[in-house]
Structures are given as structure tokens and as C-alpha cells.
Amino acid sequence: MTSTATSTDMTGTVEPRLRVPFVIAHAGESAPQSLSFVNKPFSGLRLVYDNPRRGDEVGRVLRARVLNNRRGEPQWKLLNTARQWRCMEKLLCQVCGRVATDPKTGRIPWITTATAFREIPGDADSGLTSAPPTCAACIPESLSMCPRLHVSSAVWTVARREPAAILADMYSPDLNGRPVHTGERNFFVGLDEPDLLRYALATQLVVRIEDMQPAPHLAGTP
Ligand SMILES: [Zn+2]
């Protein structure tokens, strides 16, 4: 599912290059987003695709359409919505795309980073994150990328995860009722906020991870 590559530097030394993580978006995966607002009898104004398809809506969430072919250059700062969502739902490793759960313990290894983690006040054992799990085998490689990305990180195992929110592009209707992007990206909307969900195009699923236990032994350092 992932590819490795080597590069030759100026001295002719062959160096292994980092794998492109499963969850990273590629340049050839963008899809046209033709949106409108409809006025539904009971729920009121709601953002929809012009030509709705199965899979656009997950519960009350409108999910951004993307291709899933891993073609083109990696977009290191962007996650592919389809793969990010699948990793969260199926508990797949964000680096290799394989099952992340430890078959022996049933617990899920998880790296949290300051940029993709939110504490829950009054609940020290849980948190909210948009970063999918990372399997034990991929954790050392993944941690080695954190300093390059200038993010701090911690390693945990967790007992379970529950969908809790989305990160979304937000839209509002113009005078003619057509959707206009408000400029808000990665806007946090709880799944219990229907009045915001109706204006949101989700790009990532946020889950609540529960029973977090520190797992420094998985980091591969003594
Ligand atoms: Zn992995």
C-alpha cells in the first residue's frame, strides 16, 4: 500500500527516503466540488452536492469528495479525506494503511501531536484528535518525522475511539442563495451541532480517544 524510494545525493550515497504516509493527499486526487444550498422542509437550509451520490453524506455530515488513487506528488500538509476517514473508521495505520490495533492486547497505538490534539476539560484520560492511529511497527519512523515537521508528539495506547466532530470548510449562502466559502478551513464542528453542520463540508473526521495510557516503550527509544 505504501511505496519506498531511494535517492542518490551529490556524493553518490544512496539514502532511503521516507515513505509517503497512506493518509497524505496526492496532487492528482482533487475532485470538483459543485455545491448548492437546498431548503429542506424540516431541517431548513443545508449544503449539498449538485448531483448527490452515495457516500457524500455520513449521517448529518456532508463529506468532501476526493479521488483515492495516490497519483501525483504528495501534498505533505494535506490529508486525503477518504483515506483519513477510513483510517478512523476501520482503525487503520495512517502510515502503512494496515490494521493498527494490537491483536494481543486489543489496544490501539496512537501518536498525538500538539497540532492535531485537543484536551477534554475534566477528562484527563480522553482527548480529541484528527490524526488517525499509527501501528506499532510504524511508530519509530513516524516519530522521526515529527522534528522535521516541527511538531511535538507523545505515544499512547487507547482502548477505543468514537466519532466526535469534523474539521470542515464552511460555506454561507450569498444573496442568490449560492454557497460562498467563508474562508474558514479546518473549522471544528461537533457532531452534536446540527446548526453548524448544515453549512459545513467535512474534510476530516475527529474522534474522541478514550482510556489513553502512555506507551513510551513503543517509541523505540530506551
Ligand atoms: Zn503502520
Side-chain angles (χ1 to χ4, degrees), residues 29-114:
E29 294 184 315
S30 61
Q33 313 282 334
S34 181
L35 298 160
S36 5
F37 275 108
V38 291
N39 211 337
K40 294 196 173 176
F42 295 104
S43 54
L45 213 57
R46 177 156 174 60
L47 190 66
V48 294
Y49 274 108
D50 285 337
N51 53 341
R53 276 191 224 151
R54 214 170 124 251
D56 285 344
E57 296 194 14
V58 187
R60 284 183 291 189
V61 172
L62 183 67
R63 182 168 54 180
R65 284 181 191 167
V66 291
L67 304 181
N68 186 4
N69 55 27
R70 307 190 77 192
R71 292 201 183 128
E73 285 296 304
Q75 311 289 290
W76 289 95
K77 290 186 178 168
L78 285 179
L79 303 188
N80 175 285
T81 298
R83 290 194 294 278
Q84 191 270 352
W85 217 282
R86 185 170 162 76
C87 283
M88 290 298 207
E89 286 185 333
K90 305 281 183 190
L91 292 173
L92 306 181
C93 171
Q94 61 169 307
V95 179
C96 69
R98 300 190 185 102
V99 173
T101 307
D102 181 337
K104 292 198 192 97
T105 62
R107 293 184 63 85
I108 313 148
W110 217 295
I111 297 174
T112 59
T113 60

